[in-house]
Amino acid sequence: MATEDPAPATSNISVRRGDPLVVVKDVQKHYGDFHALKDVSLTVNRGEVVVVIGPSGSGKSTLCRTINRLETITSGTITIDGKELPKEGKALAGLRADVGMVFQSFNLFSHLTILENVTLGPIKVKKMKKADAEAEAKMLLDRVGVGHQASKLPAQLSGGQQQRVAIARALAMKPKVMLFDEPTSALDPEMINEVLDVMVGLAQEGMTMVVVTHEMGFARKAADRVVFMADGQIIEEASPEEFFTHPKSDRAKDFLSKLITH
Ligand SMILES: Nc1ncnc2c1ncn2[C@@H]1O[C@H](COP(=O)(O)OP(=O)(O)O)[C@@H](O)[C@H]1O
Ligand SMILES: [Mg+2]
């Protein structure tokens, strides 16, 4: 669990400890008879970067999707910035805008230009003026290094570029927290770093982030904490250095040994 202790000196970036921003408490999630999240509790403080790691099927995506309320929970509570996630309606749309999400598959609208993909949410949900939304979008696209591609369609961009657009699109909603669910898993190896670099930059700027990834380099560089999941449970939490060098549980040891050797 999060503590108020100063971060260990092993973290490569200055660690910020804010107030709790995402609080997942005693959450159970079932898909029919299948128990996907078993009494999961996790607090992510403002400005903190938490990497979630664990074997396939352990519930990492489910956890992300419940935080964003793409999935309902069976019991427990999830609060974002002190507010419990509403079940539906306008309040849900508002709160969902506080949570930016980037998926493994970039999920851009294929018939819209890059610029339109980024301005859609701000115009439709935030009721921003088109010109303002476009100015903001161009700034964000520049920031992730694809400003010159604004008038193209997603299919004309590489996977790495599309994923950076997806990050810009999420940022355009000015989220309080960003969730990344294996954002580089679908990318060719040479494109992974261009996406991770953008994420490291965001982390350094103080964005609160929950990142499902097996990229240990990213975890070591940017994470304040690593959370290891298996079988729908959080098995252990530690600083990246501690987790990667001294995993406590047999499940984590086993997982890491496979991760390193394949
Ligand atoms: N919509 C669904 N319906 C039924 N079972 C699901 C659904 N989504 C995920 N699951 C199951 O829940 C478990 C956790 O899945 P997931 O959260 O995607 O794991 P991870 O992201 O760690 O690979 C898996 O066993 C998966 O098959
Ligand atoms: Mg997953």
Side-chain angles (χ1 to χ4, degrees), residues 72-240:
T72 57
I73 54 180
T74 314
S75 63
T77 56
I78 299 176
T79 58
I80 308 287
D81 213 1
K83 282 177 262 169
E84 191 163 343
L85 287 183
K87 291 215 168 24
E88 54 201 16
K90 267 215 165 79
L92 175 58
L95 217 53
R96 199 179 263 158
D98 287 344
V99 182
M101 181 129 182
V102 175
F103 303 88
Q104 178 177 332
S105 52
F106 328 121
N107 290 3
L108 297 175
F109 290 110
S110 58
H111 61 292
L112 298 181
T113 66
I114 296 307
L115 188 69
E116 287 165 346
N117 264 282
V118 179
T119 58
L120 188 67
I123 292 171
K124 293 275 182 228
V125 180
K126 297 226 154 179
K127 308 294 175 204
M128 259 175 99
K129 284 199 203 113
K130 190 170 176 227
D132 294 342
E134 286 184 349
E136 175 84 21
K138 282 181 181 148
M139 219 175 60
L140 286 168
L141 289 169
D142 280 340
R143 181 168 153 199
V144 301
V146 289
H148 51 296
Q149 317 275 16
S151 60
K152 291 187 179 168
L153 291 170
Q156 296 173 283
L157 271 61
S158 72
Q161 289 171 328
Q162 289 188 56
Q163 194 59 304
R164 285 181 283 146
V165 172
I167 294 173
R169 177 179 60 175
L171 292 174
M173 297 298 280
K174 301 202 166 58
K176 290 179 179 168
V177 53
M178 287 279 286
L179 309 179
F180 293 84
D181 190 1
E182 304 207 31
T184 60
S185 302
L187 297 176
D188 291 335
E190 71 271 21
M191 292 172 190
I192 291 175
N193 278 331
E194 65 192 46
V195 172
L196 292 179
D197 286 348
V198 168
M199 292 166 59
V200 170
L202 270 180
Q204 286 170 340
E205 287 164 27
M207 175 60 79
T208 308
M209 295 164 60
V210 176
V211 184
V212 178
T213 185
H214 296 158
E215 295 289 340
M216 288 192 279
F218 173 82
R220 284 181 188 271
K221 222 184 279 178
D224 297 305
R225 195 150 44 109
V226 172
V227 168
F228 176 73
M229 285 185 79
D231 293 332
Q233 287 176 301
I234 292 179
I235 307 288
E236 58 180 289
E237 290 185 53
S239 70

Side-chain angles (χ1 to χ4, degrees), residues 3-42:
T3 68
E4 294 304 314
D5 294 336
T10 48
S11 183
N12 290 346
I13 56 164
S14 58
V15 171
R16 311 137 304 230
R17 285 275 183 267
D19 53 314
L21 181 59
V22 179
V23 181
V24 176
K25 198 161 180 302
D26 306 331
V27 164
Q28 311 280 354
K29 165 71 185 173
H30 293 82
Y31 293 111
D33 290 341
F34 183 77
H35 201 174
L37 293 179
K38 300 171 184 162
D39 204 23
V40 169
S41 294
L42 175 70

Side-chain angles (χ1 to χ4, degrees), residues 55-62 104 181-182 212:
S56 176
S58 57
K60 307 178 299 295
S61 294
T62 301
Q104 178 177 332
D181 190 1
E182 304 207 31
V212 178

